[in-house]
Amino acid sequence: MTKTGLAKTGMIDFRGVNKWFGSLNVLKDITLSVEPREVVVVCGPSGSGKSTLIRCVNGLEAIKNGDLVVDGQRLGDPATNMTQLRTEIGFVFQSFNLYPHKTALENVTLAPIHVRKIPRAEAEKAGRELLAKVGLADKVNAYPAQLSGGQQQRVAIARCLGMRPKIMLFDEPTSALDPEMISEVLDVMVAVAEEGMTMMVVTHEMGFARKVAQRVVFMDAGAIVESGTPDEFFSHPKTDRSRAFLSKILRH
Amino acid sequence: MLENFSFRTIVEYLPLFGQGLVTTVWLSALSFVGALIVGIVLCAMNLQRGWLFRAPAKAYIDAVRATPLLAQLYFLYFGLPRLGFVLPELVVGILALSLNSGAYIAEIIRAGILSIPRGQVEASVASGMTYVQRMRLVVLPQAFKVTIPPLLGQAIVLVKDSALLSLISVSELTRAGQLLASDRFMPAEGFLTIAAFYLLLYYGLKGLAGLSSRWLGTAGART
């Protein structure tokens, strides 16, 4: 995984990363390394900086200082081609962000055809297979507006997988969904994780975390407060803040 | 009162109205194409990050929107020759309408582009698209659909504004009405007739816009 000129790194390596929104220190001295094939769940109260954290990984947000190395390439380094790096990183949004003027299949094939330069026929074959994999073989020609939230999010995941990424980032992928649709999306995410994808997932779905995450990272006020295996974190939270947080989300 | 209204004179002048109508249609169409080009260029300048392109575009748009079209037309018609550019009145007319409407169209297109949700841009950025790819594949196709109704409105305004060209002796529709009014002292006949023709053009344009949005289909209705 290492490339010339850089010390041995994980797939995603935060080293003393800071970020401000105006005078607000939204990421405070973050140090975190995600190994290849590792699944890391990030949780914490709203406004704790967890979305900002993963949005930095593909450069949707820029960091202020510290080092962030992704797939051996340092972000912000003039030698790093961000457009190229982003093709290796899938990003799943809370609000899906499917292209409304494109069918499900076109959503999946658009970037492979135009960015990866894969021949159309080949991209469409792969696209159909991916849509079948997320359980939407019969929705290939449907437009996003004709799909439920859960279906849209599954198309969005297939759209990322179509690029054959090395890393997948999920920003609260089930928060905008009706409760009965959450499991169909989580099932797809579990399947992706089990295939060995490197994943960072911002979510409060503790069942998902227990099932596939190697590590849970708890953030509060822009800093990583606690990090450990799901079992450690859920059964024996070490800090008052994580205990308070867990008691709130587990009460219902 | 109505017995004084001479339909016969209107019929007699129909060929003149016909010629005027044809001139109004093609010079408006040409001006609209010109305005689209001006508008797209201005909008592209206006969306740049640096002020180098943005400042002149903004200044131009403000200047056009703040001054009367008649003053702009007179500047081009009377002013340009003084500066050494002598152009036929038709060319001056089309130029004036294109430059004027272009400023409004630039703002219409910009509003269309800015109406596309941020998430669309983020999704295309995250998939590794370049600026040009995300404009071409994601933003513009969606913005285009949003801009059709306001563009139609601007086209209607342009057709009506073309009446001002009668003041620099372009023989378009309003000019035909003026001729009937002055030759025969029949302003009611002259101006009511051109009003009817403008109404006809209005419905024609509306039909055209309806067709184009149906042609674009209901596919991709916004979620």
Side-chain angles (χ1 to χ4, degrees):
Chain A
M1 280 307 134
T2 53
K3 290 193 176 174
T4 43
L6 285 162
K8 187 171 170 294
T9 61
M11 193 63 136
I12 304 167
D13 235 352
F14 290 85
R15 293 179 209 146
V17 168
N18 273 284
K19 179 176 176 62
W20 280 267
F21 284 139
S23 62
L24 184 66
N25 196 183
V26 286
L27 292 181
K28 287 180 194 154
D29 204 24
I30 300 286
T31 296
L32 171 70
S33 181
V34 180
E35 300 303 317
R37 306 172 71 86
E38 191 181 12
V39 176
V40 172
V41 160
V42 184
C43 64
S46 126
S48 58
K50 52 198 193 301
S51 287
T52 308
L53 181 79
I54 65 164
R55 286 168 62 88
C56 286
V57 174
N58 73 343
L60 282 179
E61 305 281 354
I63 64 172
K64 176 73 183 173
N65 57 37
D67 275 335
L68 176 49
V69 180
V70 179
D71 190 23
Q73 301 186 63
R74 228 186 93 204
L75 269 63
D77 193 318
T80 297
N81 180 345
M82 268 323 283
T83 313
Q84 163 64 33
L85 181 58
R86 284 181 180 125
T87 64
E88 307 293 347
I89 308 171
F91 197 103
V92 176
F93 298 87
Q94 180 178 353
S95 49
F96 330 133
N97 295 346
L98 291 181
Y99 306 129
H101 60 305
K102 302 278 183 195
T103 63
L105 182 61
E106 287 166 345
N107 264 280
V108 176
T109 59
L110 192 69
I113 290 171
H114 293 278
V115 178
R116 280 261 197 251
K117 312 289 181 199
I118 293 169
R120 182 174 294 272
E122 195 181 312
E124 284 181 353
K125 185 167 170 287
R128 282 174 201 281
E129 284 168 12
L130 281 167
L131 285 170
K133 189 172 151 187
V134 300
L136 293 171
D138 55 334
K139 299 291 184 187
V140 165
N141 294 315
Y143 284 93
Q146 298 165 317
L147 299 173
S148 72
Q151 291 170 333
Q152 288 192 53
Q153 194 61 299
R154 284 186 279 153
V155 173
I157 294 172
R159 174 171 70 174
C160 292
L161 293 175
M163 293 295 279
R164 311 216 165 284
K166 294 180 181 166
I167 298 168
M168 288 274 281
L169 307 169
F170 295 80
D171 188 5
E172 306 207 30
T174 57
S175 300
L177 297 176
D178 291 336
E180 75 267 27
M181 291 170 181
I182 290 177
S183 66
E184 66 188 46
V185 171
L186 290 178
D187 288 346
V188 169
M189 289 166 61
V190 169
V192 174
E194 282 170 351
E195 283 173 17
M197 181 69 73
T198 307
M199 288 165 61
M200 282 184 83
V201 185
V202 174
T203 185
H204 294 155
E205 294 296 334
M206 296 309 145
F208 172 82
R210 277 182 185 278
K211 199 163 182 180
V212 296
Q214 277 88 51
R215 208 159 17 133
V216 175
V217 168
F218 174 71
M219 287 183 76
D220 190 28
I224 293 178
V225 176
E226 196 172 327
S227 127
T229 66
D231 247 6
E232 282 169 13
F233 179 71
F234 294 125
S235 313
H236 312 286
K238 284 175 259 176
T239 60
D240 288 344
R241 274 183 290 180
S242 55
R243 272 192 289 273
F245 173 75
L246 283 171
S247 75
K248 272 179 202 142
I249 63 164
L250 296 177
R251 186 181 300 156
H252 300 290
Chain B
M1 182 185 106
L2 258 182
E3 58 269 26
N4 292 332
F5 196 87
S6 171
F7 284 103
R8 205 188 310 155
T9 318
I10 293 175
V11 173
E12 193 186 315
Y13 269 74
L14 265 187
L16 187 69
F17 283 119
Q19 281 169 19
L21 178 70
V22 169
T23 307
T24 290
V25 167
W26 72 255
L27 78 78
S28 296
L30 221 57
S31 301
F32 192 67
V33 172
L36 276 177
I37 295 169
V38 172
I40 288 167
V41 171
L42 280 174
C43 177
M45 290 169 68
N46 205 356
L47 288 175
Q48 298 304 309
R49 272 206 204 114
W51 56 270
L52 188 67
F53 288 102
R54 219 176 53 204
K58 278 197 189 305
Y60 176 87
I61 290 168
D62 285 343
V64 168
R65 296 216 294 185
T67 53
L69 172 56
L70 185 59
Q72 297 161 13
L73 183 64
Y74 279 169
F75 168 74
L76 292 178
Y77 186 66
F78 296 113
L80 278 190
R82 287 298 187 89
L83 302 173
F85 302 97
V86 184
L87 299 167
E89 51 265 22
L90 249 175
V91 177
V92 171
I94 291 170
L95 202 63
L97 290 176
S98 301
L99 291 174
N100 177 272
S101 246
Y104 293 93
I105 286 177
E107 291 295 89
I108 289 172
I109 299 173
R110 193 169 76 105
I113 290 173
L114 295 182
S115 78
I116 304 307
R118 222 186 130 55
Q120 292 291 306
V121 176
E122 289 192 346
S124 44
V125 167
S127 69
M129 288 188 202
T130 61
Y131 176 80
V132 173
Q133 283 173 331
R134 66 184 191 257
M135 279 310 241
R136 183 166 65 88
L137 300 169
V138 176
V139 176
L140 290 181
Q142 294 183 64
F144 185 54
K145 213 175 277 180
V146 185
T147 54
I148 287 182
L151 278 182
L152 165 74
Q154 190 56 41
I156 290 165
V157 169
L158 191 151
V159 169
K160 292 188 294 179
D161 280 350
S162 73
L164 284 180
L165 302 198
S166 62
L167 295 171
I168 59 167
S169 63
V170 172
S171 16
E172 42 66 75
L173 191 52
T174 299
R175 185 79 180 150
Q178 285 172 352
L179 284 177
L180 178 51
S182 56
D183 289 2
R184 301 284 184 92
F185 301 107
M186 288 183 178
E189 286 84 347
F191 293 120
L192 261 181
T193 308
I194 63 163
F197 279 119
Y198 279 115
L199 196 65
L200 218 66
L201 285 178
Y202 170 78
Y203 281 119
L205 276 173
K206 262 185 104 167
L208 215 63
L211 275 180
S212 64
S213 53
R214 210 164 321 140
W215 173 65
L216 284 167
T218 49
R222 305 290 289 278
T223 43

